[in-house]
């Protein structure tokens, strides 16, 4: 089976499993796990932030960060298809009591004037009737935006707009390192534009567990409290953190290969009749395409494709294919051939 369902499909490699087996561990909840401590220091340095905090998932990073930045009743502003709004079970509402003010965009990237307009909508009626804006969230790369990269200048301009109004900016950097590979901008430069951010180790980096949130020492001290409160504090978590350290050493430089594979896939699909590629020139590791021209629904397309040994998923009304560590160039060719066979069979039938 070739799985392009998600970049979370990666399995730990033999090298990563060896690093995990050899990990030095301690009680992480007490701050005594040396491998977790090493990973946190490494990520803080990578991102140029004062401190960092290991958490079990990226979802918990967003949950904790929004909790630290906001008070109940504040507004959270983000692109309308941001993961923090659409794909976290309403966690920001439940845990932080924030009211979401979405910005409608084509690819998840908004401008300072769109942000200013959203802030004005929220504060149009003065306090005590209106509400303060607690946090602005950006997503790098933007998942439902097709793996779109926030250019550094665009990010800085939006952050300046928020800062002028005294509002912090939080980055969901689940795929920040993909953005770095695609743009040549360093992780620290992107991170320098925002107040807090996190990276996920279970996406293109290929580790089985873990994400690390970074920010000022004060922010991380508060975050540590909520990590405990939400049940995210662990024991011998160095077992998992060792996989993340291994990923930083071995799986970052190769991300460009995933992007090359996504471009190959997009080109192959674009040359297939009745398939409309929404991301004809993918910036990173995702390809979105429509199969309406085949006269079968997304679910039926995915079923027929799986029967031919290729797994993809549906997202945002389209088919989504994501390249990653466990997908080779030959797998991309297999995937294109499988889509073409489903296409030919659908048109014939
Ligand atoms: C996967 C993802 C998350 C959540 O991360 P988990 O580690 O799966 O909890 C958040 N934001 C984006 C953009 C993601 O792709």
């Amino acid at each position: 089976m070739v799985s392009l369902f998600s970049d979370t499909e990666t399995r730990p490699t033999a090298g990563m499993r060896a690093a995990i087996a050899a990990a030095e561990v301690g009680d992480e909840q007490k701050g005594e796990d040396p491998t977790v401590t090493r990973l946190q220091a490494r990520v803080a340095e990578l991102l140029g932030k004062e401190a960092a905090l290991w958490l079990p998932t990226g979802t918990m990073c967003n949950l904790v960060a929004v909790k630290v930045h906001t008070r109940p009743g504040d507004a959270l502003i983000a692109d309308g298809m941001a993961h923090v709004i659409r794909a976290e079970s309403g966690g920001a509402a439940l845990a932080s009591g924030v009211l979401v003010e979405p910005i409608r965009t084509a690819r998840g990237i908004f401008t300072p004037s769109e942000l200013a307009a959203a802030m004005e909508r929220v504060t149009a009626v003065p306090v005590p009737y209106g509400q303060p804006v607690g946090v602005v969230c950006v997503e790098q790369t933007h998942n439902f935006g097709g793996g779109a990269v926030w250019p550094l200048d665009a990010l800085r301009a939006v952050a300046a707009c928020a800062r002028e109004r005294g509002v912090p900016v939080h980055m969901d950097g689940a795929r920040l390192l993909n953005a770095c590979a695609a743009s040549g901008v360093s992780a620290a430069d992107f991170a320098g534009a925002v107040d807090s951010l996190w990276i996920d180790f279970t996406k293109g980096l290929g580790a089985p567990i873990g994400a690390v949130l970074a920010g000022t020492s004060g922010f991380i001290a508060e975050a540590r409290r909520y990590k405990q409160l939400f049940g995210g504090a662990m024991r011998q978590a160095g077992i998992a953190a060792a996989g993340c350290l291994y990923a930083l050493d071995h799986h970052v430089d190769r991300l460009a290969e995933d992007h090359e594979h996504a471009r190959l896939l997009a080109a192959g699909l674009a040359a297939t009749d009745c398939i409309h590629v929404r991301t004809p020139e993918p910036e990173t590791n995702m390809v979105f395409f429509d199969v309406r021209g085949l006269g079968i629904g997304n679910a039926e397309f995915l079923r027929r494709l799986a029967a031919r040994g290729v797994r993809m998923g549906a997202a945002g009304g389209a088919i989504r294919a994501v390249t990653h560590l466990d997908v080779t160039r030959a797998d991309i060719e297999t995937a294109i051939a499988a889509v073409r066979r489903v296409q030919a069979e659908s048109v014939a039938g």
Side-chain angles (χ1 to χ4, degrees):
M1 196 65 148
V2 173
S3 185
L4 295 161
F5 182 79
S6 171
D7 46 8
T8 57
E9 296 276 294
T10 54
R11 301 299 155 96
T13 61
M16 184 180 281
R17 284 173 186 267
I20 287 170
E24 263 189 274
V25 296
D27 190 337
E28 187 267 334
Q29 217 170 81
K30 295 208 208 70
E32 291 172 359
D33 187 295
T35 308
V36 168
T37 302
R38 206 146 51 82
L39 176 65
Q40 290 175 160
R42 178 105 181 253
V43 173
E45 194 194 325
L46 174 73
L47 301 178
K49 294 295 186 197
E50 286 174 8
L53 182 65
W54 154 261
L55 287 158
T57 63
T59 300
M60 198 179 281
C61 289
N62 278 340
L63 194 70
V64 165
V66 171
K67 187 70 194 157
V68 175
H69 284 307
T70 64
R71 295 170 63 195
D74 284 357
L76 175 156
I77 298 180
D79 162 72
M81 288 305 291
H83 198 284
V84 68
I85 298 179
R86 299 289 169 205
E88 296 178 8
S89 305
L94 182 128
S96 299
V98 290
L99 198 65
V100 166
E101 181 65 32
I103 301 176
R104 192 184 291 266
T105 72
R107 291 164 51 251
I109 316 278
F110 47 87
T111 62
S113 61
E114 287 170 323
L115 175 58
M119 297 226 187
E120 275 153 31
R121 288 197 294 277
V122 171
T123 57
V125 180
V127 171
Y129 305 104
Q131 3 148 230
V133 178
V135 68
V136 172
C137 296
V138 295
E139 194 171 305
Q140 180 76 303
T141 64
H142 201 285
N143 187 345
F144 295 129
V149 177
W150 273 85
L152 183 57
D153 288 349
L155 181 65
R156 284 181 173 156
V158 154
C161 172
R163 212 159 285 140
E164 272 165 28
R165 292 158 175 83
V167 177
V169 180
H170 169 68
M171 176 186 277
D172 170 341
R175 297 185 182 81
L176 173 67
L177 298 181
N178 289 85
C180 296
S183 63
V185 173
S186 75
D189 279 346
F190 280 130
V194 300
D195 298 279
S196 61
L197 78 162
W198 58 272
I199 57 173
D200 208 330
F201 287 89
T202 68
K203 303 286 168 78
L205 295 182
I209 301 170
V212 176
L213 175 66
T216 63
S217 307
F219 171 86
I220 291 298
E222 273 279 282
R224 194 178 295 284
R225 174 182 167 226
Y226 289 114
K227 170 182 173 172
Q228 180 73 35
L229 187 154
F230 293 140
M234 291 166 274
R235 301 299 184 189
Q236 288 72 31
I239 287 285
C244 302
L245 283 164
Y246 183 90
L248 286 176
D249 288 334
H250 298 91
H251 296 167
V252 175
D253 290 344
R254 57 156 308 285
L255 288 171
E257 207 177 295
D258 295 343
H259 302 174
E260 173 63 25
H261 289 162
R263 287 193 294 272
L264 271 175
L265 179 63
L269 296 176
T272 305
D273 285 345
C274 309
I275 302 270
H276 170 69
V277 182
R278 288 194 191 179
T279 49
E281 285 168 18
E283 289 181 82
T284 56
N285 65 334
M286 295 184 189
V287 179
F288 282 73
F289 60 101
D290 289 317
V291 295
R292 278 185 219 123
L294 299 183
I296 54 175
N298 287 344
E300 179 59 16
F301 172 81
L302 292 172
R303 202 190 57 72
R304 292 186 190 184
L305 195 64
R308 300 204 175 273
V310 177
R311 251 186 104 214
M312 294 184 186
I319 303 296
R320 186 185 77 159
V322 189
T323 59
H324 53 77
L325 183 59
D326 293 352
V327 173
T328 64
R329 196 184 168 107
D331 291 337
I332 296 297
E333 281 155 17
T334 302
I336 294 168
V339 170
R340 287 192 178 154
R341 285 215 297 281
V342 172
Q343 182 266 335
E345 171 193 291
S346 308
V347 171

